[in-house]
Amino acid sequence: MALQQTVEQTVAGLGYDLVEIERSAGGLLRVTIDLPWTGPNSEAAAAGAPEPFVTVEDCEKVTRQLQFALEVDGAEYKRLEVSSPGIDRPLRNEQDFERFAGEVIDITLKAPMGAAAAGQVSANRKKFRGTLERVAAADGTPGWQIVWSDEPAAKPGQKISKKRVPAPLQALGFALDELREARLAPIVDFNGRRPKPGAAVSD
């Protein structure tokens, strides 16, 4: 059985979502897991409870089971590391985008904007950061966009003139198959979103 399939089945069988598999130099196999998203209509979400996060115990449980499964399959690796997603968690599928709607994300397009930029941004630009929003196309099909402003962030203690005209908002609509990569923006905002406590276990 292919390593990817073994890891996917093992992680899913324990009740977790597989976020990422990475092979690094020196034989390191890094597996990133997350708790399944229960959705905005779950009882916990309705009660306003914070979203649970992966603990060290979760990582230890997955590590033990993966070591056994990979040994049975004869998979080649020297060291296994199971961890929770960091503050720059990758977004890989439609459910990930649903889960993190409203968050600031970084996206990289497969191809530069080209003529579609219409002079509003560089035609060669492929990387964007903005707030993820769900939108509906003219024909009613659901889609995604990010919204951002190129206005520089105010420095600590800086007074903003009430007369200053804010920079206009810009929006970029996209389909998931147009993306090379999408991740949560690694922003540490002590007044707003905080990064989830991380956990990592190596054998």
Side-chain angles (χ1 to χ4, degrees):
M1 187 184 296
L3 183 142
Q4 171 95 17
Q5 189 177 358
T6 299
V7 173
E8 285 179 353
Q9 290 185 358
T10 303
V11 170
L14 291 171
Y16 299 94
D17 283 342
L18 176 64
V19 177
E20 201 167 30
I21 300 176
E22 296 175 278
R23 278 188 174 275
S24 300
L28 172 64
L29 177 63
R30 182 180 291 115
V31 176
T32 306
I33 63 171
D34 204 353
L35 297 178
W37 184 48
T38 54
N41 299 320
S42 67
E43 290 183 12
E51 190 173 337
F53 52 84
V54 171
T55 65
V56 172
E57 290 74 21
D58 293 320
C59 293
E60 288 174 342
K61 181 166 67 173
V62 174
T63 298
R64 287 192 298 269
Q65 193 65 29
L66 273 178
Q67 285 172 334
F68 173 75
L70 293 172
E71 183 177 348
V72 169
D73 285 353
E76 292 187 11
Y77 71 96
K78 290 185 178 178
R79 193 160 65 90
L80 172 66
E81 180 181 290
V82 177
S83 64
S84 62
I87 57 175
D88 60 343
R89 182 199 198 280
L91 278 60
R92 299 199 174 281
N93 52 47
E94 189 77 19
Q95 181 173 291
D96 286 346
F97 281 80
E98 291 279 3
R99 179 175 184 172
F100 295 106
E103 297 280 7
V104 178
I105 69 168
D106 291 322
I107 64 171
T108 302
L109 302 174
K110 291 178 181 176
M113 290 293 293
Q120 294 183 338
V121 297
S122 168
N124 296 322
R125 186 171 175 180
K126 291 197 289 186
K127 295 186 176 183
F128 297 84
R129 171 176 290 186
T131 302
L132 176 64
E133 295 182 352
R134 164 69 88 178
V135 293
D139 61 359
T141 56
W144 297 100
Q145 70 176 15
I146 58 170
V147 177
W148 76 95
S149 167
D150 287 328
E151 185 168 357
K155 297 177 182 176
Q158 178 183 356
K159 293 184 178 179
I160 309 246
S161 170
K162 294 180 180 179
K163 296 180 181 179
R164 189 174 77 174
V165 178
L169 289 175
Q170 299 189 65
L172 171 68
F174 59 87
L176 301 196
D177 60 4
E178 294 177 305
L179 301 182
R180 182 179 302 280
E181 183 180 53
R183 290 181 176 270
L184 290 178
I187 298 171
V188 180
D189 181 0
F190 294 104
N191 295 316
R193 189 184 93 197
R194 295 172 185 263
K196 296 179 183 178
V201 171
S202 298
D203 67 346

